[in-house]
Coordinates of all heavy atoms in Angstrom, one line a residue:
M1063 N 126.5 296.9 224.9 CA 125.1 297.3 224.9 C 124.7 298.0 226.2 O 124.9 297.5 227.3 CB 124.3 296.0 224.8 CG 122.8 296.3 224.5 SD 122.0 294.7 224.3 CE 120.7 294.9 225.5
E1064 N 124.3 299.3 226.0 CA 123.9 300.0 227.2 C 122.4 300.3 227.3 O 121.8 300.7 226.3 CB 124.7 301.4 227.2 CG 126.1 301.2 227.6 CD 126.8 302.6 227.8 OE1 126.1 303.6 227.9 OE2 128.0 302.6 227.8
I1065 N 121.9 300.1 228.4 CA 120.5 300.3 228.7 C 120.4 301.6 229.5 O 121.0 301.6 230.6 CB 119.8 299.1 229.3 CG1 120.0 297.9 228.5 CG2 118.3 299.4 229.6 CD1 119.8 296.6 229.2
P1066 N 119.6 302.6 229.1 CA 119.4 303.8 230.0 C 118.7 303.3 231.3 O 117.7 302.6 231.3 CB 118.4 304.6 229.2 CG 118.4 304.1 227.8 CD 118.9 302.7 227.9
D1067 N 119.4 303.7 232.4 CA 118.9 303.2 233.6 C 118.3 304.4 234.5 O 119.0 305.3 234.8 CB 120.1 302.6 234.4 CG 119.6 301.9 235.6 OD1 118.4 301.7 235.8 OD2 120.5 301.4 236.4
D1068 N 117.0 304.2 234.8 CA 116.3 305.2 235.6 C 116.1 304.7 237.0 O 115.5 305.4 237.8 CB 115.0 305.6 234.9 CG 115.2 306.4 233.7 OD1 116.2 306.3 233.1 OD2 114.2 307.1 233.3
K1069 N 116.6 303.6 237.3 CA 116.3 303.0 238.6 C 116.9 303.7 239.7 O 116.5 303.6 240.8 CB 116.7 301.5 238.6 CG 115.7 300.6 237.8 CD 116.3 299.2 237.6 CE 115.5 298.4 236.6 NZ 116.1 297.2 236.3
G1070 N 118.0 304.4 239.4 CA 118.7 305.2 240.5 C 117.9 306.3 241.0 O 118.1 306.8 242.1
K1071 N 116.9 306.8 240.2 CA 116.1 308.0 240.6 C 115.1 307.6 241.7 O 114.4 306.6 241.6 CB 115.4 308.6 239.5 CG 116.3 309.3 238.5 CD 115.4 309.9 237.4 CE 116.3 310.5 236.3 NZ 115.6 310.9 235.1
S1072 N 115.1 308.4 242.8 CA 114.2 308.0 243.8 C 112.8 308.6 243.6 O 111.8 308.1 244.0 CB 114.7 308.5 245.2 OG 115.0 309.9 245.1
T1073 N 112.8 309.8 242.9 CA 111.5 310.4 242.6 C 111.2 310.3 241.1 O 111.9 310.9 240.3 CB 111.5 311.9 243.1 OG1 112.7 312.5 242.6 CG2 111.4 312.0 244.6
P1074 N 110.2 309.5 240.8 CA 109.8 309.5 239.4 C 109.2 310.8 238.9 O 108.5 311.4 239.6 CB 108.8 308.3 239.3 CG 108.3 308.1 240.7 CD 109.3 308.8 241.6
E1075 N 109.5 311.2 237.7 CA 109.0 312.4 237.2 C 107.7 312.2 236.5 O 107.4 311.2 235.8 CB 110.0 313.0 236.1 CG 111.2 313.6 236.8 CD 112.2 314.1 235.7 OE1 111.8 314.7 234.8 OE2 113.4 313.7 235.9
N1076 N 106.8 313.2 236.6 CA 105.5 313.1 236.0 C 105.6 313.8 234.6 O 105.1 314.9 234.4 CB 104.4 313.8 236.8 CG 104.3 313.2 238.2 OD1 104.5 312.0 238.4 ND2 104.1 314.1 239.2
S1077 N 106.3 313.1 233.7 CA 106.5 313.8 232.4 C 105.2 313.6 231.5 O 104.8 314.5 230.9 CB 107.7 313.2 231.7 OG 107.6 311.7 231.8
T1078 N 104.6 312.4 231.6 CA 103.4 312.2 230.8 C 102.2 312.0 231.7 O 102.4 311.4 232.8 CB 103.6 311.0 229.9 OG1 104.0 309.9 230.7 CG2 104.5 311.2 228.8
I1079 N 101.1 312.6 231.3 CA 99.9 312.4 232.1 C 99.2 311.2 231.6 O 98.7 311.3 230.4 CB 99.1 313.7 232.2 CG1 99.9 314.8 232.9 CG2 97.8 313.5 232.9 CD1 99.3 316.2 232.6
D1080 N 99.1 310.2 232.4 CA 98.5 309.0 231.9 C 97.3 308.7 232.9 O 97.3 309.2 234.0 CB 99.5 307.9 232.1 CG 99.1 306.7 231.3 OD1 97.9 306.4 231.2 OD2 100.0 306.0 230.8
T1081 N 96.3 308.0 232.4 CA 95.2 307.7 233.3 C 95.6 306.9 234.5 O 95.1 307.0 235.6 CB 94.1 306.8 232.5 OG1 94.3 307.1 231.1 CG2 92.7 307.2 233.0
K1082 N 96.7 306.1 234.3 CA 97.1 305.3 235.4 C 97.8 306.1 236.5 O 97.9 305.7 237.6 CB 98.2 304.3 234.8 CG 97.5 303.2 234.0 CD 98.6 302.4 233.3 CE 98.0 301.6 232.1 NZ 99.1 301.2 231.2
K1083 N 98.3 307.3 236.1 CA 99.0 308.1 237.0 C 98.1 309.2 237.7 O 98.6 310.1 238.4 CB 100.2 308.8 236.3 CG 101.3 307.7 236.1 CD 102.4 308.3 235.3 CE 103.4 307.2 235.0 NZ 104.4 307.6 233.9
I1084 N 96.8 309.2 237.4 CA 95.9 310.1 238.0 C 96.0 309.9 239.5 O 96.0 308.7 240.0 CB 94.5 310.0 237.5 CG1 94.4 310.5 236.1 CG2 93.5 310.7 238.4 CD1 93.1 310.4 235.4
R1085 N 96.0 311.0 240.3 CA 95.9 310.8 241.7 C 94.5 310.7 242.1 O 93.8 311.7 242.1 CB 96.5 312.1 242.3 CG 97.8 311.8 243.0 CD 98.2 312.8 244.0 NE 99.5 312.6 244.5 CZ 100.1 313.4 245.3 NH1 99.6 314.5 245.7 NH2 101.3 313.1 245.7
W1086 N 94.1 309.5 242.4 CA 92.7 309.3 242.8 C 92.6 309.7 244.3 O 93.4 309.4 245.1 CB 92.3 307.9 242.6 CG 92.4 307.5 241.1 CD1 93.3 306.8 240.5 CD2 91.4 307.8 240.1 NE1 93.1 306.7 239.2 CE2 91.9 307.3 238.9 CE3 90.2 308.5 240.1 CZ2 91.2 307.4 237.7 CZ3 89.5 308.7 238.9 CH2 90.0 308.1 237.7
S1087 N 91.5 310.3 244.6 CA 91.2 310.6 246.0 C 90.3 309.6 246.5 O 89.9 308.6 245.8 CB 90.6 312.0 246.1 OG 89.2 312.0 245.7
H1088 N 89.9 309.7 247.8 CA 89.0 308.8 248.4 C 87.6 309.2 248.2 O 86.7 308.6 248.9 CB 89.4 308.5 249.8 CG 89.3 309.7 250.7 ND1 90.3 310.6 250.8 CD2 88.3 310.2 251.5 CE1 89.9 311.6 251.6 NE2 88.7 311.3 252.1
K1089 N 87.3 310.2 247.4 CA 86.0 310.7 247.2 C 85.7 310.7 245.7 O 86.7 310.7 244.9 CB 85.9 312.2 247.7 CG 85.9 312.3 249.2 CD 85.8 313.7 249.6 CE 87.0 314.6 249.2 NZ 86.9 315.9 249.8
P1090 N 84.5 310.7 245.3 CA 84.2 310.8 243.8 C 84.8 312.0 243.3 O 84.9 313.1 243.9 CB 82.6 310.9 243.8 CG 82.2 310.3 245.0 CD 83.2 310.6 246.1
Q1091 N 85.4 311.9 242.1 CA 86.1 313.0 241.5 C 85.8 313.1 240.0 O 85.4 312.1 239.4 CB 87.6 313.0 241.8 CG 88.3 311.9 241.1 CD 89.8 311.8 241.5 OE1 90.1 311.5 242.7 NE2 90.7 312.1 240.6
I1092 N 86.1 314.3 239.5 CA 85.9 314.5 238.0 C 87.0 313.7 237.3 O 88.2 313.8 237.6 CB 86.0 316.0 237.6 CG1 85.0 316.8 238.4 CG2 85.9 316.2 236.1 CD1 83.6 316.6 238.0
M1093 N 86.6 312.9 236.3 CA 87.6 312.1 235.6 C 87.1 311.9 234.2 O 85.9 312.2 233.8 CB 87.8 310.8 236.3 CG 86.5 310.0 236.6 SD 86.2 308.8 235.3 CE 84.4 308.5 235.5
T1094 N 88.0 311.4 233.3 CA 87.6 311.0 232.0 C 87.7 309.5 231.9 O 88.8 309.0 232.2 CB 88.5 311.7 231.0 OG1 88.5 313.1 231.2 CG2 88.0 311.5 229.6
C1095 N 86.7 308.9 231.6 CA 86.7 307.4 231.5 C 87.6 307.0 230.3 O 87.4 307.5 229.2 CB 85.3 306.9 231.4 SG 85.3 305.1 231.2
K1096 N 88.5 306.1 230.6 CA 89.4 305.6 229.6 C 88.7 304.6 228.7 O 89.2 304.2 227.6 CB 90.7 305.0 230.2 CG 90.4 303.9 231.2 CD 91.7 303.5 231.8 CE 91.4 302.4 232.9 NZ 92.6 302.2 233.8
H1097 N 87.5 304.1 229.2 CA 86.8 303.1 228.4 C 85.8 303.7 227.4 O 85.7 303.2 226.3 CB 86.1 302.1 229.3 CG 87.0 301.5 230.4 ND1 87.9 300.5 230.0 CD2 87.1 301.7 231.7 CE1 88.6 300.2 231.1 NE2 88.1 300.9 232.1
C1098 N 85.0 304.7 227.9 CA 84.0 305.2 227.1 C 84.1 306.7 226.9 O 83.3 307.3 226.2 CB 82.6 304.9 227.7 SG 82.3 305.7 229.2
D1099 N 85.2 307.3 227.4 CA 85.4 308.7 227.2 C 84.4 309.6 228.0 O 84.3 310.8 227.7 CB 85.4 309.1 225.7 CG 86.9 309.4 225.3 OD1 87.8 309.1 226.1 OD2 87.1 309.9 224.2
Y1100 N 83.7 309.1 228.9 CA 82.7 309.8 229.6 C 83.5 310.8 230.6 O 84.5 310.4 231.2 CB 81.9 308.9 230.5 CG 81.0 309.6 231.6 CD1 79.8 310.1 231.3 CD2 81.5 309.7 232.9 CE1 79.0 310.7 232.3 CE2 80.8 310.3 233.9 CZ 79.5 310.8 233.5 OH 78.8 311.4 234.5
K1101 N 83.1 312.0 230.6 CA 83.7 313.0 231.4 C 82.7 313.4 232.5 O 81.6 313.8 232.2 CB 84.1 314.3 230.7 CG 85.3 314.1 229.8 CD 85.7 315.5 229.2 CE 86.9 315.3 228.3 NZ 86.6 314.6 227.0
G1102 N 83.1 313.2 233.8 CA 82.2 313.6 234.8 C 82.7 313.0 236.1 O 83.8 312.6 236.3
L1103 N 81.8 313.0 237.1 CA 82.1 312.5 238.4 C 82.1 311.0 238.5 O 81.2 310.3 238.0 CB 81.1 313.1 239.4 CG 81.5 313.3 240.8 CD1 82.6 314.3 240.9 CD2 80.3 313.9 241.6
S1104 N 83.1 310.5 239.1 CA 83.2 309.0 239.2 C 82.3 308.5 240.4 O 82.0 309.3 241.3 CB 84.7 308.6 239.4 OG 85.1 309.1 240.6
K1105 N 82.0 307.3 240.3 CA 81.3 306.6 241.4 C 82.4 306.0 242.3 O 83.3 305.4 241.7 CB 80.4 305.5 240.9 CG 78.9 305.9 240.7 CD 78.0 304.8 240.6 CE 78.4 303.6 239.7 NZ 77.4 302.6 239.5
C1106 N 82.2 306.0 243.6 CA 83.1 305.4 244.5 C 82.6 304.1 245.1 O 81.5 304.1 245.6 CB 83.6 306.4 245.5 SG 85.0 307.3 245.1
E1107 N 83.4 303.1 245.1 CA 83.0 301.9 245.8 C 84.2 301.7 246.8 O 85.3 301.6 246.4 CB 82.9 300.7 244.9 CG 81.5 300.8 244.2 CD 81.3 299.6 243.3 OE1 82.0 298.6 243.4 OE2 80.3 299.6 242.6
Y1108 N 83.8 301.6 248.1 CA 84.8 301.4 249.1 C 85.0 300.0 249.5 O 84.2 299.2 249.5 CB 84.4 302.3 250.3 CG 84.3 303.7 250.0 CD1 83.1 304.4 249.8 CD2 85.5 304.5 249.9 CE1 83.0 305.7 249.5 CE2 85.4 305.8 249.6 CZ 84.2 306.4 249.4 OH 84.2 307.8 249.1
D1109 N 86.3 299.8 249.8 CA 86.7 298.4 250.2 C 87.6 298.6 251.4 O 88.5 299.4 251.4 CB 87.5 297.9 249.0 CG 87.8 296.4 249.0 OD1 87.4 295.8 250.0 OD2 88.4 295.9 248.1
S1110 N 87.3 297.8 252.4 CA 88.2 298.0 253.6 C 89.5 297.4 253.3 O 89.7 296.2 253.1 CB 87.5 297.2 254.8 OG 86.3 297.8 255.1
G1111 N 90.5 298.2 253.2 CA 91.8 297.8 252.9 C 92.6 297.2 254.2 O 92.0 297.2 255.3
F1112 N 93.8 296.9 253.9 CA 94.5 296.3 255.0 C 94.8 297.2 256.1 O 95.0 296.9 257.3 CB 95.8 295.6 254.5 CG 96.9 296.6 254.2 CD1 97.9 296.8 255.0 CD2 96.9 297.3 253.0 CE1 98.9 297.7 254.7 CE2 97.8 298.2 252.6 CZ 98.9 298.4 253.5
I1113 N 94.9 298.5 255.8 CA 95.1 299.5 256.8 C 94.0 299.6 257.9 O 94.3 299.7 259.1 CB 95.4 300.9 256.2 CG1 96.7 300.9 255.5 CG2 95.3 302.1 257.2 CD1 97.2 302.2 254.9
A1114 N 92.8 299.4 257.4 CA 91.7 299.4 258.3 C 91.8 298.2 259.2 O 91.5 298.3 260.4 CB 90.4 299.3 257.5
W1115 N 92.2 297.1 258.7 CA 92.4 295.9 259.5 C 93.6 296.1 260.5 O 93.5 295.6 261.6 CB 92.7 294.7 258.6 CG 91.5 294.1 257.9 CD1 91.2 294.3 256.6 CD2 90.5 293.4 258.5 NE1 90.0 293.8 256.4 CE2 89.5 293.2 257.5 CE3 90.2 292.9 259.8 CZ2 88.3 292.4 257.7 CZ3 89.0 292.2 260.0 CH2 88.1 292.0 259.0
L1116 N 94.6 296.7 260.0 CA 95.8 297.0 260.8 C 95.4 297.9 262.0 O 95.7 297.7 263.2 CB 96.8 297.8 260.0 CG 98.3 297.4 260.1 CD1 98.5 296.0 259.6 CD2 99.1 298.4 259.3
M1117 N 94.6 298.9 261.7 CA 94.1 299.8 262.8 C 93.2 299.1 263.7 O 93.3 299.3 265.0 CB 93.2 301.0 262.1 CG 94.0 301.9 261.3 SD 94.7 303.3 262.1 CE 93.2 304.2 262.6
C1118 N 92.4 298.2 263.2 CA 91.5 297.4 264.0 C 92.4 296.5 265.0 O 92.1 296.5 266.2 CB 90.7 296.5 263.1 SG 89.6 295.4 264.0
G1119 N 93.4 295.9 264.4 CA 94.3 295.1 265.3 C 94.9 295.9 266.3 O 95.0 295.5 267.5
A1120 N 95.4 297.1 265.9 CA 96.1 298.0 266.9 C 95.2 298.4 268.0 O 95.5 298.4 269.2 CB 96.6 299.2 266.2
C1121 N 93.9 298.6 267.7 CA 92.9 299.0 268.7 C 92.7 297.9 269.7 O 92.5 298.1 270.9 CB 91.6 299.5 268.0 SG 91.7 301.1 267.3
I1122 N 92.6 296.7 269.2 CA 92.3 295.6 270.0 C 93.5 295.4 271.0 O 93.3 295.1 272.2 CB 92.1 294.3 269.2 CG1 90.8 294.4 268.4 CG2 92.1 293.0 270.1 CD1 90.5 293.3 267.4
M1123 N 94.7 295.5 270.5 CA 95.9 295.4 271.3 C 95.9 296.5 272.4 O 96.3 296.2 273.5 CB 97.1 295.5 270.5 CG 97.5 294.2 269.8 SD 99.0 294.5 268.9 CE 98.8 293.2 267.6
V1124 N 95.5 297.7 272.1 CA 95.4 298.7 273.1 C 94.4 298.4 274.1 O 94.5 298.8 275.3 CB 95.2 300.1 272.4 CG1 94.9 301.2 273.4 CG2 96.4 300.5 271.5
G1125 N 93.3 297.8 273.8 CA 92.4 297.4 274.8 C 90.9 297.8 274.6 O 90.0 297.3 275.2
C1126 N 90.7 298.7 273.6 CA 89.3 299.1 273.4 C 88.8 298.1 272.4 O 89.0 298.2 271.2 CB 89.2 300.5 273.0 SG 90.5 301.0 271.9
V1127 N 88.0 297.2 272.8 CA 87.7 296.1 271.9 C 86.6 296.4 270.9 O 86.9 296.4 269.7 CB 87.3 294.8 272.7 CG1 87.0 293.7 271.8 CG2 88.4 294.5 273.7
F1128 N 85.4 296.7 271.4 CA 84.3 296.7 270.4 C 84.0 298.1 269.8 O 83.6 298.2 268.7 CB 83.1 296.1 270.9 CG 83.0 294.7 270.7 CD1 83.3 293.7 271.7 CD2 82.8 294.2 269.4 CE1 83.3 292.4 271.5 CE2 82.8 292.8 269.1 CZ 83.0 291.9 270.2
C1129 N 84.3 299.2 270.6 CA 83.8 300.5 270.1 C 84.7 301.0 269.0 O 84.3 301.1 267.9 CB 83.8 301.5 271.2 SG 83.4 300.8 272.8
C1130 N 86.0 301.2 269.3 CA 86.8 301.9 268.3 C 87.5 301.0 267.4 O 88.0 301.4 266.4 CB 87.8 302.9 269.0 SG 88.6 302.3 270.4
C1131 N 87.5 299.7 267.6 CA 88.1 298.8 266.6 C 87.3 298.8 265.3 O 87.8 298.4 264.3 CB 88.4 297.4 267.2 SG 87.0 296.4 267.2
L1132 N 86.1 299.2 265.4 CA 85.2 299.2 264.2 C 85.3 300.6 263.5 O 84.9 300.7 262.4 CB 83.8 299.0 264.6 CG 83.5 297.5 265.1 CD1 82.1 297.4 265.6 CD2 83.8 296.5 264.1
C1133 N 85.9 301.5 264.2 CA 86.0 302.9 263.6 C 86.8 302.9 262.3 O 86.4 303.6 261.4 CB 86.6 303.9 264.6 SG 85.4 304.3 265.9
P1134 N 87.9 302.2 262.2 CA 88.6 302.3 261.0 C 87.8 301.9 259.8 O 88.0 302.4 258.7 CB 89.8 301.3 261.2 CG 90.0 301.3 262.6 CD 88.6 301.4 263.2
F1135 N 86.8 301.1 260.0 CA 85.9 300.7 258.9 C 84.9 301.8 258.5 O 84.3 301.7 257.5 CB 85.2 299.4 259.2 CG 86.2 298.2 259.4 CD1 86.6 297.9 260.6 CD2 86.6 297.6 258.3 CE1 87.5 296.8 260.8 CE2 87.5 296.5 258.4 CZ 88.0 296.2 259.7
C1136 N 84.8 302.8 259.4 CA 83.9 303.9 259.1 C 84.6 305.0 258.5 O 84.0 305.9 257.9 CB 83.2 304.3 260.4 SG 82.4 303.0 261.3
I1137 N 85.9 305.0 258.6 CA 86.7 306.2 258.0 C 86.9 305.9 256.5 O 87.7 305.0 256.2 CB 88.0 306.4 258.8 CG1 87.7 306.6 260.3 CG2 88.7 307.6 258.2 CD1 88.9 306.5 261.1
E1138 N 86.3 306.7 255.7 CA 86.4 306.4 254.2 C 87.9 306.6 253.7 O 88.3 305.9 252.8 CB 85.5 307.4 253.5 CG 84.0 307.0 253.7 CD 83.1 307.9 252.9 OE1 83.6 308.9 252.4 OE2 81.9 307.5 252.7
G1139 N 88.6 307.5 254.4 CA 90.0 307.7 254.0 C 90.9 306.5 254.2 O 92.0 306.4 253.6
L1140 N 90.4 305.5 255.0 CA 91.2 304.4 255.2 C 90.9 303.2 254.3 O 91.5 302.1 254.4 CB 91.1 303.9 256.7 CG 91.8 304.9 257.7 CD1 91.4 304.4 259.1 CD2 93.3 304.9 257.5
K1141 N 89.9 303.4 253.5 CA 89.5 302.3 252.7 C 90.0 302.5 251.3 O 90.3 303.6 250.8 CB 87.9 302.3 252.6 CG 87.3 301.9 253.9 CD 85.8 302.0 253.8 CE 85.1 301.7 255.1 NZ 83.7 301.8 255.0
I1142 N 90.1 301.4 250.6 CA 90.5 301.5 249.2 C 89.2 302.0 248.4 O 88.1 301.5 248.7 CB 90.9 300.1 248.6 CG1 92.1 299.6 249.3 CG2 91.1 300.1 247.1 CD1 92.4 298.1 249.1
C1143 N 89.4 303.0 247.6 CA 88.3 303.5 246.9 C 88.4 303.2 245.4 O 89.4 303.6 244.8 CB 88.2 305.1 247.1 SG 87.0 305.8 246.1
H1144 N 87.5 302.5 244.9 CA 87.5 302.1 243.5 C 86.6 303.1 242.8 O 85.5 303.3 243.1 CB 87.0 300.7 243.3 CG 87.8 299.7 244.0 ND1 89.1 299.4 243.6 CD2 87.5 298.8 245.0 CE1 89.6 298.4 244.3 NE2 88.7 298.1 245.2
H1145 N 87.2 303.8 241.8 CA 86.5 304.8 241.0 C 85.8 304.1 239.8 O 86.6 303.5 239.0 CB 87.4 305.9 240.6 CG 87.8 306.8 241.7 ND1 87.1 308.0 242.0 CD2 88.8 306.7 242.6 CE1 87.7 308.5 243.1 NE2 88.8 307.8 243.4
I1146 N 84.5 304.1 239.8 CA 83.8 303.4 238.7 C 83.2 304.5 237.8 O 82.7 305.5 238.3 CB 82.6 302.6 239.3 CG1 83.1 301.7 240.5 CG2 82.0 301.7 238.3 CD1 84.0 300.5 240.2
C1147 N 83.2 304.2 236.5 CA 82.6 305.1 235.6 C 81.1 304.9 235.7 O 80.6 303.8 235.5 CB 83.1 304.8 234.2 SG 82.1 305.6 232.9
P1148 N 80.3 306.0 235.9 CA 78.9 305.8 236.1 C 78.2 305.5 234.7 O 77.0 305.1 234.7 CB 78.4 307.2 236.6 CG 79.5 308.1 236.3 CD 80.8 307.3 236.2
H1149 N 78.9 305.7 233.7 CA 78.3 305.5 232.3 C 78.5 304.1 231.9 O 77.5 303.5 231.4 CB 79.0 306.5 231.3 CG 78.3 306.5 230.0 ND1 78.9 306.0 228.9 CD2 77.1 307.1 229.6 CE1 78.1 306.2 227.9 NE2 77.0 306.8 228.3
C1150 N 79.7 303.5 232.0 CA 79.9 302.2 231.5 C 80.1 301.2 232.6 O 80.3 300.0 232.4 CB 81.0 302.1 230.5 SG 82.6 302.5 231.2
N1151 N 80.1 301.7 233.9 CA 80.3 300.9 235.1 C 81.6 300.1 235.1 O 81.7 299.0 235.7 CB 79.1 299.9 235.2 CG 78.0 300.6 236.0 OD1 78.2 301.2 237.0 ND2 76.8 300.6 235.4
K1152 N 82.6 300.6 234.5 CA 83.9 299.9 234.5 C 84.8 300.6 235.5 O 84.7 301.8 235.7 CB 84.5 299.9 233.1 CG 83.9 298.9 232.2 CD 84.6 298.8 230.9 CE 83.9 297.8 230.0 NZ 84.4 297.9 228.6
L1153 N 85.8 299.9 236.0 CA 86.7 300.4 236.9 C 87.7 301.4 236.2 O 88.3 300.9 235.2 CB 87.5 299.3 237.6 CG 88.5 299.7 238.7 CD1 87.8 300.2 239.9 CD2 89.4 298.5 239.0
V1154 N 87.8 302.6 236.7 CA 88.7 303.5 236.0 C 90.0 303.7 236.8 O 91.1 303.9 236.2 CB 88.0 304.9 235.9 CG1 88.8 305.8 235.0 CG2 86.6 304.7 235.2
G1155 N 89.9 303.6 238.1 CA 91.1 303.7 238.9 C 90.8 303.4 240.4 O 89.6 303.4 240.7
S1156 N 91.8 303.3 241.2 CA 91.5 303.1 242.6 C 92.5 303.9 243.4 O 93.6 304.1 243.1 CB 91.5 301.6 243.0 OG 91.9 300.8 242.0
H1157 N 92.0 304.3 244.6 CA 92.8 305.0 245.6 C 93.2 304.1 246.7 O 92.3 303.5 247.3 CB 92.1 306.2 246.1 CG 92.6 306.8 247.3 ND1 93.7 307.6 247.3 CD2 92.3 306.6 248.6 CE1 94.0 308.0 248.6 NE2 93.2 307.4 249.4
H1158 N 94.4 303.9 246.9 CA 94.8 303.1 248.1 C 95.3 304.0 249.2 O 96.2 304.8 249.0 CB 96.0 302.1 247.6 CG 95.5 301.1 246.7 ND1 95.1 299.8 247.0 CD2 95.2 301.2 245.3 CE1 94.7 299.1 246.0 NE2 94.7 299.9 244.9
P1159 N 94.8 303.8 250.4 CA 95.1 304.7 251.5 C 96.6 304.7 251.8 O 97.1 305.7 252.3 CB 94.2 304.3 252.6 CG 93.8 302.9 252.3 CD 93.8 302.8 250.8
G1160 N 97.2 303.6 251.6 CA 98.6 303.6 252.0 C 99.6 304.3 251.1 O 100.6 304.8 251.5
K1161 N 99.1 304.4 249.8 CA 100.0 305.1 248.8 C 99.5 306.5 248.6 O 98.3 306.8 248.5 CB 99.8 304.4 247.5 CG 100.4 303.0 247.6 CD 100.0 302.2 246.3 CE 100.3 300.8 246.4 NZ 99.7 300.0 245.3
L1162 N 100.5 307.4 248.6 CA 100.1 308.8 248.4 C 100.5 309.3 247.0 O 101.4 308.8 246.4 CB 100.8 309.7 249.5 CG 100.2 309.5 250.9 CD1 101.1 310.3 251.9 CD2 98.8 309.9 251.0
Ligands
LIG1175 ZN1 83.1 304.7 231.0

C-alpha cells in the first residue's frame, strides 16, 4: 500500500484557491464572505499577538521601560488582525504577523 507523500516538499503549491489560503493583510481588504457570500471590505479587529509581547519584553531588556515598550501595541502590523464580515459579523480569516 503506497500513500502519495507530499511531506518532502518544502514549498506548498497554491493549486487551489481556498478561503483558508487567502493572504490576509493587517488592514481591511476586499473579500468574499464564506458564510453569507458578501463581497466587500472586511472589518478588522486587532489583537495584540505574542510578537507585540516579545517586542515589549525586548524593549524592557534594552532598558527603555515605559515609552517604547508600549510601541509594539500601537503598530497594527504587529497585531493579529481578525477579518470580520461586516454583513454577518462572522470571522472570515485572520492575519498573524509572524506568518507571511
Ligand atoms: Zn458574511
Side-chain angles (χ1 to χ4, degrees):
M1063 188 175 128
E1064 281 188 19
I1065 302 162
D1067 192 5
D1068 289 23
K1069 285 171 190 168
K1071 287 181 185 173
S1072 55
T1073 47
E1075 285 176 45
N1076 302 323
S1077 48
T1078 48
I1079 296 166
D1080 198 326
T1081 335
K1082 291 169 196 162
K1083 285 172 186 169
I1084 287 178
R1085 248 197 189 177
W1086 297 102
S1087 77
H1088 62 276
K1089 291 182 289 192
Q1091 70 184 66
I1092 303 288
M1093 52 93 203
T1094 306
C1095 177
K1096 58 188 173 189
H1097 306 288
C1098 68
D1099 253 10
Y1100 168 87
K1101 285 187 182 72
L1103 209 60
S1104 62
K1105 262 199 313 188
C1106 267
E1107 282 184 8
Y1108 297 101
D1109 193 357
S1110 298
F1112 76 100
I1113 286 186
W1115 285 104
L1116 222 66
M1117 294 268 296
C1118 178
C1121 284
I1122 290 171
M1123 279 181 206
V1124 168
C1126 39
V1127 183
F1128 273 105
C1129 329
C1130 44
C1131 79
L1132 294 172
C1133 284
F1135 295 98
C1136 307
I1137 305 167
E1138 290 183 345
L1140 288 173
K1141 293 177 182 179
I1142 296 167
C1143 175
H1144 299 292
H1145 290 266
I1146 314 286
C1147 169
H1149 190 251
C1150 66
N1151 274 310
K1152 283 183 182 168
L1153 182 74
V1154 187
S1156 5
H1157 164 81
H1158 293 261
K1161 295 172 192 168
L1162 291 174

